[in-house]
Amino acid sequence: MSEVRTRFAPSPTGYLHVGGARTAIFNWLFARHHKGKFILRIEDTDQERSTDESTNAILEGMSWLGMDWDEGPFFQAKRVDIYNDHVERLLNEGKAFYCTCSPEELESKRQKALSEGKKPKYDGKCRGNTKKPDVPAAVRFLSPNEGFTVVDDLVKGRVVVENAELDDLVIRRSDGWPTYNFCVVIDDATMKMTHVIRGDDHLNNTPRQIQMYEAFGYPVPKFGHVPMILGPDKTRLSKRHGATSVMAYREMGYLPEALFNYLVRLGWSHGDQEIFSRDQLIEAFDLENVGKSAGVFNPEKLLWLNAHYIKESDNRKLDSLVAPFLEAKGFDISKGPDIEKVVVTLKERAKTVLEMADFAEFYYREDLIYDESAAAKFLKPESSSILEALVARLQGISDAEFNHDGIEKVFRDITEEKGLKLKDIAQPVRVALTGSIISPGIFEVIEVLGKGRSLKRLQKAIDFVSHKA
Ligand code: GLU
């Protein structure tokens, strides 16, 4: 096989949607698997709806997901001369014609066909108009009337369309702008794409596009049309179902590895394996195992994968991810405990980075707020002696002993001395140090908070109990 060349060709009319991202990922993986090239092309011929902001959002989403591109981004709006040259070529060869039918005329013919129960189709009125008229005119592709066009789709299998079914497509509008179906063919042909992998909402366009490749004598790439992503109600995934923007997942504390892995598996399988490193995906990815039917987006599975990737993550990396979330909540991390140690105590329980930042708040709060019911239950007059005993013991231990084991020993001594169980001590201490009864292991919490902060919080709890008493 010649060098594999794939592309992602988003229209910059919004953010990077998870469906678009998955198309990009499939193209990227396919190119990487075959040691080929992955090209990025921005399809901005719809000048009214295309924005720079959206282009930037798409590039940002791609980078966040860790996809690099070998060529581009190319912008269609800058390639209009190339499209026009191709329009001229078809006109000169008698494979396209000028059309001066007015929109009103076309619409009334359309309505008439519909009312007669026929499929609306351009009636070929201007066929043969190869001379440029004096009025602004569209250009249409002269579509063959006979025969069939076959798409041997790598995902969907063979699709055969009767040419008579296909319209003489407008390839350049009367305002001078070439149309999507035309530009895409010229780009894919001149950029020498070998494989076009895209959403199956484009499958209808493919036979028309193949006719145009053939008209130019360009090699036809292989096509693979990937089913859409659906929401739980089996309709196309949209905002109604929750977040659909890639960057919204970053804001919700998802790791790009998790979203990447999730999106690939949603639509492609490799036995029962769920978790893949990027290298494993590059190694294993193929189009044969892309499913023919649409996958349903499952937020719980994505969350499960995210929790997995958080547990697997390097602590330093997690620090750098959690810190901005905490800062955004208004905490000054430099005034609190070492964030790397904080992260270690939370990575087994947090399912998202945002959740990790929520859990981490208590470490950085100057004035701890007690959960009301936890305080009512555990910060009672009889807790005072426990808290006081702990203050006394912790004050007494050296810095070298101020670690998990040293702290555990302190707790053991107190339980023995007072004839209590560990949980009798741990719960009031937990509320005193974290504000609630749910927290990482209490010895770890004390170690991470450090002696000074732990003692201050214990003292505050003692005061709280005595004022209440
Ligand atoms: N620009 C098209 C879209 O965003 C993609 C076209 C293609 O992949 O051929 O839907």
Side-chain angles (χ1 to χ4, degrees), residues 7 9-11 41 43 180 184 188 196-198 201-202:
R7 78 327 187 254
S11 305
R41 181 171 77 225
E43 302 208 317
Y180 157 72
V184 102
D188 286 337
V196 170
I197 303 166
R198 61 185 171 196
D201 49 338
H202 289 288

Side-chain angles (χ1 to χ4, degrees), residues 52-236:
D52 289 347
E53 201 188 345
S54 166
T55 298
N56 292 337
I58 292 168
L59 300 188
E60 192 188 12
M62 301 268 299
S63 302
W64 183 67
L65 284 169
M67 276 182 281
D68 51 348
W69 46 93
D70 304 300
E71 293 169 27
F74 297 108
F75 291 85
Q76 286 189 327
K78 296 201 178 117
R79 294 170 53 84
V80 174
D81 289 349
I82 301 173
Y83 309 132
N84 277 331
D85 288 349
H86 280 83
V87 172
E88 294 311 319
R89 221 169 110 182
L90 288 183
L91 283 167
N92 290 339
E93 292 173 12
K95 293 174 180 166
F97 59 92
Y98 289 100
C99 175
T100 47
C101 297
S102 69
E104 294 74 27
E105 185 182 343
L106 293 171
E107 183 53 27
S108 82
K109 284 181 181 164
R110 212 178 78 85
Q111 290 302 338
K112 185 162 175 282
L114 284 175
S115 68
E116 288 166 2
K118 292 188 199 141
K119 192 174 160 204
K121 188 175 177 244
Y122 177 67
D123 63 359
K125 182 181 162 200
C126 295
R127 279 185 166 199
N129 281 352
T130 45
K131 288 235 158 46
K132 193 172 188 321
D134 297 333
V135 288
V139 177
R140 285 182 186 269
F141 176 69
L142 184 64
S143 165
N145 277 342
E146 270 127 44
F148 296 90
T149 299
V150 177
V151 188
D152 271 319
D153 196 85
L154 296 171
V155 177
K156 301 272 174 178
R158 175 163 283 202
V159 178
V160 182
V161 180
E162 251 184 279
N163 288 338
E165 290 281 304
L166 302 174
D167 259 354
D168 293 336
L169 198 78
V170 173
I171 57 175
R172 187 170 64 197
R173 296 197 307 245
S174 57
D175 64 5
W177 276 97
T179 58
Y180 157 72
N181 269 303
F182 186 68
C183 299
V184 102
V185 169
I186 307 311
D187 285 342
D188 286 337
T190 56
M191 293 177 187
K192 301 199 168 8
M193 293 305 148
T194 57
H195 294 78
V196 170
I197 303 166
R198 61 185 171 196
D200 65 3
D201 49 338
H202 289 288
L203 185 56
N204 275 344
N205 292 325
T206 306
R208 306 166 182 285
Q209 294 180 4
I210 290 177
Q211 289 184 344
M212 288 191 268
Y213 282 98
E214 286 169 348
F216 284 108
Y218 283 135
V220 181
K222 294 201 162 57
F223 291 93
H225 287 90
V226 179
M228 301 280 98
I229 301 178
L230 304 181
D233 59 356
K234 307 280 161 68
T235 63
R236 192 173 167 168

Side-chain angles (χ1 to χ4, degrees), residues 365-384:
R365 244 180 226 297
E366 295 270 327
D367 274 315
L368 205 59
I369 307 157
Y370 302 128
D371 171 80
E372 228 171 274
S373 70
K377 196 157 171 210
F378 295 107
L379 295 184
K380 290 192 292 215
E382 51 275 35
S383 320
S384 267

